Amino acid sequence: MPHILIVEDETIIRSALRRLLERNQYQVSEAGSVQEAQERYSIPGFDLIISDLRLPGAPGTELIKLAQGTPVLIMTSYASLRSAVDSMKMGAVDYIAKPFDHDEMLQAVARILKERQDARSTPSERPAASRGGDKAAAANADGEIGIIGSCPAMLELYSKIRKVSPTDSTVLIQGESGTGKELVARALHNLSRRAKAPLISVNCAAIPETLIESELFGHEKGAFTGATAGRAGLVEAADGGTLFLDEIGELPLEAQARLLRVLQEGEIRRVGSVQSQKVDVRLIAATHRDLKTLAKTGQFREDLYYRLHVISLKLPALRERGNDVLEIARSFLARQCTQMGRDSLRFATDAEQAIRHYNWPGNVRELENAIERAVILCESPDISADLLGIDIELDDLDEEDFNEVAVPSQANNTAHEPTEDLSLEDYFQHFVLEHQDHMTETELARKLGISRKCLWERRQRLGIPRRKSGAAAGP
């Protein structure tokens, strides 16, 4: 059981973090200051130290020297973000902003501990992917990529990540909100030669427009009201590592011009400075917007778009990933049960059908939220579709009902009906192909017990074209 030290002077935060970690099978010790931690514990003996940046007495960064190689994760408020980046330059393994999301904290802890374990083990001790095993397992050997899914689109994405990661090429990740673009960026960084250097993640939509240039490129003393001292920016903090700019489509045009200089010349100029300085940064950008269209309408610099579009990775929406959605849902369910101390729950049949057929406009993020809500509200071992709280037409029948309507009882059809057990999708495909020549879409939908919209969606998913025969063109 990994042993973690929490150093935090706010009792409420320290206690809440301790409970979170202990619920997830970590051994936890705590202290309210660096001095108390020194007096009570042998600091290098821990597997991980999580410390607030601002503490009574010595700052949390003092623990980096005292830890003698033990990773230190720094916690900080957003207002102190640049100080946290400075702490990474001093040797902190990562930082996390307060108030932190529980999942974000657990993911960071698990990743840091795994990286430490991998660094300690020799190559012969590390588990190798089975050559004859599942392609997805091979793509994620040793957790290198860390993304769940084995649909063709994701397997192609894994292949591209492996090819692109060793290079310093700029990468543009495109995909809808909630599809996991930051996971792809982290995989690109972790598999690159820059893996031991910082990965600085910036959400361009979360920083006020008036501060974005100062945050990214730094400023000199007196550059603007309130600039009482010069500060390094996040681009400078990523020197030698990777800069991930999420929602880059929200970046103001003035900041875009400065970013273009970073890409073209490899140098930055702080706000208020006349001096430029060189930086070695690999840029990964992500957006859910169509940058090409924005460039044509003057909302995004065209020259920057082409600089970003060296390599483009398209992350499919959850509704395009087939049975991956169930695999991801089960993974979230297991994690939520562990975090909340619940006995193992499972999805009822109607819940699995709802998960599989819902469009998930919020993608993986919406799915995770729905499962968290269901685990909290569930009072039985089975999670029903109602508990998921998703907005879906209840026109998808369960398998028993579907088989009833999908296998016609007319004598003249019995010779063509399958004699072996088929899946729900097989029955649907068989019935539509057998009867679409002499039934309208309305009649087909009525016989199947579903809406015309659902019939059309299933045709699209299964690749069954609609025939334009005279018989099928009735009212």
Side-chain angles (χ1 to χ4, degrees), residues 326 329-330 333 345-349 351-352 355 371 381-383 388:
L326 289 175
R330 291 180 185 124
L333 179 59
L345 301 177
R346 59 179 179 268
F347 295 115
T349 302
E352 289 198 346
I355 290 169
I371 291 170
D382 293 340
I383 292 177
L388 292 170

Side-chain angles (χ1 to χ4, degrees), residues 353-430:
Q353 288 184 353
I355 290 169
R356 180 65 179 81
H357 295 295
Y358 181 54
N359 274 336
W360 297 110
N363 290 292
V364 178
R365 188 178 295 118
E366 183 183 4
L367 173 63
E368 185 172 17
N369 290 341
I371 291 170
E372 181 178 355
R373 178 172 54 247
V375 171
I376 292 170
L377 299 176
C378 188
E379 297 179 351
S380 70
D382 293 340
I383 292 177
S384 66
D386 290 342
L387 286 175
L388 292 170
I390 55 180
D391 183 18
I392 187 169
E393 292 184 29
L394 297 178
D395 51 18
D396 292 315
L397 304 178
D398 62 32
E399 189 158 346
E400 182 179 347
D401 291 336
F402 196 93
N403 290 346
E404 249 178 54
V405 297
V407 185
S409 58
Q410 293 95 325
N412 62 338
N413 287 326
T414 54
H416 302 287
E417 293 306 322
T419 57
E420 59 185 19
D421 290 336
L422 296 179
S423 69
L424 180 66
E425 308 261 282
D426 290 334
Y427 275 124
F428 176 90
Q429 187 166 0
H430 178 86

Side-chain angles (χ1 to χ4, degrees), residues 321-338:
R321 293 177 56 181
N323 286 328
D324 279 3
V325 64
L326 289 175
E327 186 181 353
I328 296 168
R330 291 180 185 124
S331 173
F332 284 156
L333 179 59
R335 191 169 72 189
Q336 290 294 342
C337 287
T338 299

Side-chain angles (χ1 to χ4, degrees), residues 133-141 147-151 155 158 162 324 327:
D134 181 80
K135 289 182 180 178
N140 288 290
I147 304 173
I148 298 171
S150 56
C151 70
L155 293 178
Y158 300 152
R162 290 181 178 281
D324 279 3
E327 186 181 353

Side-chain angles (χ1 to χ4, degrees), residues 3 42-49 61-73 90-94 112-113 115-117 119-120:
H3 194 179
S42 170
I43 293 175
F46 290 93
D47 296 296
L48 171 64
I49 298 167
T61 49
E62 283 296 307
L63 291 163
I64 298 170
K65 292 180 285 185
L66 299 171
Q68 299 178 21
T70 296
V72 177
L73 173 63
M90 297 170 65
V93 67
D94 206 345
I112 294 167
L113 289 172
E115 288 172 356
R116 186 171 195 246
Q117 181 182 3
R120 284 177 163 182

Side-chain angles (χ1 to χ4, degrees), residues 248 251-253 255-257 259-261 263-264 283 291 300-309:
I248 196 169
L251 201 62
L253 290 171
Q256 290 178 30
L259 183 61
L260 184 63
R261 184 175 181 84
L263 294 176
Q264 288 178 332
L283 180 65
L291 293 188
F300 197 86
R301 290 184 63 105
E302 193 170 15
D303 47 5
L304 178 58
Y305 167 72
Y306 287 113
R307 280 283 179 176
L308 294 174
H309 206 265

